[in-house]
Amino acid sequence: MKILVPVKRVIDYNVKVRVKPDNSGVELANVKMAMNPFDEIAVEQALRIKEASQAEEVIAISIGPQESQDTIRTALAMGADRGILVKTEHDIEPLAVAKILKSIVEKETPELVILGKQAIDDDCNQTGQMLSAFLNWPQTTFVSNLELKDKNLLSVREVDGGLEHMECSLPAIVTVDLRLNEPRYASLPNIMKAKRKPLEEISPSDLGVDTNKRLEVIKVEDPPSREAGMILGSVDELVDKLKNEAKVI
Ligand code: AMP
C-alpha cells in the first residue's frame, strides 16, 4: 500500500507574523518558512504505518513555488520515499489543491491520504474534506489516535466533552490533530540521504487542473490591540463598573 502525504510550506510557527502596510496580506519577504506543523505529524504517522510493515511507500507532495522543494526534502529526510512538487507561482486555494491531489491520487493509487487538519497560514481546514468529496472516499478528520487493522482504519477524534471512536475501510482520507504523535527530527545522515531520493516536478496544467482564484482577500488586519487595564480601589467599585459601564452583570 502507498500513503500520500501533502505537505505545505508555510511561515514557521515561531515567527511573529506581520501584516503588510497596505493590508493586502502578510509579509513573506525574508521570513523563515517551514513545513506546516500538522503536516509533520501526518508524515510521522505515515512513517509509523510503514515501519509497522502496513505500507510499502510514503510519498510527500507539495503544491507551491520552487522553494516548496525544501519542504518535500524535509519529509524525505524524516523518511518518506519520494516526493512530487506541483509547481505554481501564485497562491493557491484549497479547492485547487484538492483537485490537484485528486488527480495525483488517480495516478498513484494510494490507499491512504494523510493530511494536516489545517494549514496554519490560511487556517482553511478544507482540503482533506474536499478531497474526500472529490474521490468519494470516507474521511476521518482531526484524528488524535490512529490504528490500521486488516485494511480497517480505527481512529479517535477529540470532540467537545469527549472522544469519538470511528471505523472506516480503505481507501480513506485522514486529517490529523496535534496530539496524534510527536514528529521525529531528521538526522544529519538522513538529511544527506534525502538529497538523493527521487523528486518529480510537474505543473497543474500537466494534470489539467485550473488553479485560477475563486476568492478575493479584501483586507488583512492585525487583531485589535489590548486596551490598558485599570486598578480599582474596592470590590464595590468593581461591581459598579461591571454593572453600569460594562453592563455584563
Ligand atoms: P487547509 O485546508 O488549507 O487548511 O490545509 C489542510 C491540509 O491540506 C494541510 O495541512 C496540508 O496537508 C494540505 N495542503 C493544503 N495546501 C497545500 C499545498 N499547497 N501543498 C501541499 N499540501 C497542502
Side-chain angles (χ1 to χ4, degrees):
M1 158 166 111
K2 287 185 198 174
I3 305 177
L4 204 73
V5 188
V7 291
K8 187 174 187 187
R9 177 177 182 263
V10 297
I11 295 184
D12 187 290
Y13 74 95
N14 291 306
V15 170
K16 166 119 182 55
V17 174
R18 277 177 298 121
V19 172
K20 282 185 183 168
D22 65 359
N23 294 97
S24 62
V26 298
E27 209 61 77
L28 290 177
N30 302 318
V31 171
K32 184 167 180 255
M33 306 294 279
M35 188 190 299
N36 182 42
F38 293 106
D39 302 352
E40 287 184 357
I41 295 169
V43 173
E44 175 65 36
Q45 198 61 32
L47 296 175
R48 289 186 189 189
I49 295 172
K50 187 185 164 193
E51 285 159 2
S53 306
Q54 293 177 307
E56 284 84 48
E57 194 179 28
V58 175
I59 307 167
I61 154 162
S62 195
I63 301 143
Q66 189 64 42
E67 293 82 355
S68 303
Q69 244 200 34
D70 300 344
T71 313
I72 297 177
R73 291 274 174 221
T74 304
L76 297 176
M78 286 171 75
D81 299 286
R82 65 184 164 97
I84 302 173
L85 170 66
V86 184
K87 212 167 128 185
T88 58
E89 284 318 327
H90 58 85
D91 276 354
I92 167 159
E93 294 166 2
L95 179 65
V97 173
K99 286 182 182 172
I100 289 172
L101 293 175
K102 171 187 182 263
S103 169
I104 291 178
V105 165
E106 284 165 351
K107 196 163 141 242
E108 294 285 348
T109 62
E111 282 185 80
L112 187 57
V113 184
I114 311 183
L115 305 93
K117 75 165 180 180
Q118 75 193 62
I120 61 163
D121 52 359
D122 57 21
D123 277 340
C124 277
N125 174 6
Q126 295 173 359
T127 309
Q129 293 88 329
M130 285 180 177
L131 179 61
S132 153
F134 280 138
L135 292 167
N136 201 19
W137 287 8
Q139 62 174 317
T140 160
T141 53
F142 307 166
V143 164
S144 59
N145 195 28
L146 190 71
E147 251 184 88
L148 194 57
K149 265 197 188 144
D150 310 324
K151 298 270 175 190
N152 264 349
L153 209 56
L154 306 171
S155 55
V156 180
R157 313 176 61 231
E158 281 173 32
V159 291
D160 277 353
L163 298 173
E164 188 176 40
H165 294 250
M166 313 260 289
E167 183 172 351
C168 71
S169 57
L170 295 180
I173 306 289
V174 171
T175 77
V176 303
D177 213 334
L178 217 51
R179 266 181 278 273
L180 178 61
N181 62 44
E182 202 163 304
R184 67 195 66 187
Y185 285 105
S187 66
L188 192 58
N190 285 345
I191 293 173
M192 301 311 289
K193 261 196 232 160
K195 294 189 183 181
R196 291 191 302 275
K197 290 188 178 174
L199 202 168
E200 185 189 352
E201 210 178 289
I202 54 176
S203 74
S205 57
D206 295 334
L207 304 167
V209 176
D210 164 16
T211 57
N212 282 333
K213 282 185 167 292
R214 303 251 195 316
L215 301 168
E216 187 190 348
V217 175
I218 298 166
K219 196 174 174 189
V220 175
E221 292 178 305
D222 275 316
S225 53
R226 215 170 137 181
E227 285 177 24
M230 56 177 108
I231 295 174
L232 303 177
S234 68
V235 173
D236 288 344
E237 200 183 341
L238 171 65
V239 171
D240 177 63
K241 284 201 183 291
L242 290 174
K243 236 186 213 162
N244 302 316
E245 278 182 28
K247 298 193 190 319
V248 291
I249 55 171

